[in-house]
Amino acid sequence: MIYAILETSGKQIWVTPGKFYDLDKIHANPGDYIKLEKILFLRNQQEITVGQPCINKMYVKGKVLKHFKGRKITVFKMKPKKNMYSKNGHRQEFSRVFIESINTKN
């Protein structure tokens, strides 16, 4: 089993080739190929590689499938006895990325 742990937008994500993942919005058009280069850990069959902090000669190739918004989260703030309250909503933007392969740089 081949898998990698990579960092994107401040989060660490465990990825395997052939699956899609929902990442924070990436500024690329749907159908574009992207290269994710911050690989922290790689397992290739019996071989394990740990970066310090990143593996320099590796990258993950992915394809942006679509952009979408997550479910709505309600944010409610209130200060008692001060007649102060606010109610806001937030919808995070995501990009669905299909991981095609884990490659080495030439």
Side-chain angles (χ1 to χ4, degrees):
M1 179 177 172
I2 299 171
Y3 66 87
I5 297 175
L6 56 96
E7 181 182 341
T8 176
S9 63
K11 298 176 184 173
Q12 295 179 3
I13 300 162
W14 175 320
V15 297
T16 57
K19 294 185 179 180
F20 64 86
Y21 297 92
D22 296 335
L23 309 176
D24 286 344
K25 186 167 183 180
I26 297 172
H27 298 288
N29 295 324
D32 288 351
Y33 289 94
I34 59 169
K35 190 189 294 188
L36 302 168
E37 295 181 337
K38 283 190 169 183
I39 298 180
L40 307 174
F41 180 86
L42 176 71
R43 175 154 186 200
N44 188 358
Q45 306 302 341
Q46 300 299 324
E47 219 175 290
I48 293 176
T49 309
V50 179
Q52 297 181 11
C54 298
I55 303 171
N56 293 328
K57 298 181 180 178
M58 302 294 293
Y59 68 92
V60 173
K61 182 180 178 186
K63 182 178 183 181
V64 178
L65 298 178
K66 67 176 184 174
H67 301 295
F68 65 98
K69 288 186 175 182
R71 65 181 188 87
K72 188 166 211 168
I73 296 172
T74 304
V75 180
F76 185 76
K77 297 179 183 177
M78 184 183 105
K79 294 195 177 177
K81 302 177 191 169
K82 302 295 182 192
N83 197 20
M84 194 293 280
Y85 61 90
S86 66
K87 181 178 177 183
N88 295 319
H90 176 73
R91 290 185 71 186
Q92 184 69 34
E93 292 185 344
F94 293 106
S95 295
R96 182 158 288 168
V97 177
F98 179 74
I99 304 298
E100 291 190 349
S101 62
I102 300 172
N103 301 323
T104 59
K105 292 181 186 177
N106 293 335

